[in-house]
């Protein structure tokens, strides 16, 4: 029983550390982008050719929304996405600091978001850490309750 409890707390601790590693890797490899509903490429070219900004202040939210409207439907929320090829991102020439990710929901394009990964890894990490703690405490208590091994017989 002691060997099983010892194995349980060690494995639970390993699972917790692995979940932490997955979180770290996901955060390090995530790309911040505005996810927008994509427009047809011919429509994008026409919009780029006829683009006349209403504001000259490139740092204003209105200008950012107007640039997003060239490539798709504007969005106010920036998301961190994972496992998306760099070719899919659009960095418009009108506002080079802006990163857009046009997706076509009709083709079931749904990029993996960091918040989805964290939604699953955090409970796994904390649950495994809690289980490791409980198994360790029970293992220590069981070790104390075991009678000492018998003394060797005298010759």
């Amino acid at each position: 029983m002691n060997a099983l409890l010892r194995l349980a707390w060690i494995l639970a601790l390993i699972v917790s550390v692995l979940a932490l590693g997955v979180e770290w890797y996901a955060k390090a490899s995530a790309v911040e982008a505005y996810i927008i509903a994509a427009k047809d490429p011919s429509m994008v070219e026409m919009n780029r050719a006829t683009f006349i900004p209403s504001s000259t202040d490139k740092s204003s939210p209105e200008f950012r929304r107007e640039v997003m409207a060239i490539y798709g439907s504007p969005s106010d929320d920036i998301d961190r996405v994972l496992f998306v090829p760099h070719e899919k991102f659009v960095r418009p020439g009108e506002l080079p600091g802006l990163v857009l990710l046009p997706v076509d929901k009709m083709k079931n394009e749904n990029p993996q978001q960091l918040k989805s990964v964290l939604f699953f890894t955090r409970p796994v990490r904390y649950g495994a850490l809690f289980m490791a703690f409980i198994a360790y405490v029970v293992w220590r208590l069981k070790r104390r309750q075991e009678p000492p091994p018998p003394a060797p017989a005298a010759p």
Side-chain angles (χ1 to χ4, degrees), residues 37-48 69-73 102-104 107:
K39 286 186 178 177
D40 185 62
S42 61
M43 180 68 111
V44 170
E45 288 304 317
M46 185 181 74
N47 287 346
R48 288 185 75 193
I70 295 172
Y71 299 92
S73 60
V103 296
D104 190 357
K107 294 180 182 176

Side-chain angles (χ1 to χ4, degrees), residues 4 20 30 66 68-69 77 81 83 91 125-126 129 140 145:
L4 187 60
L20 182 64
E66 288 173 1
M68 276 193 248
D77 300 325
V81 293
F83 313 122
R91 289 172 174 78
R125 179 170 49 117
Y126 292 130
L129 199 56
R140 291 294 289 183
Q145 290 176 356

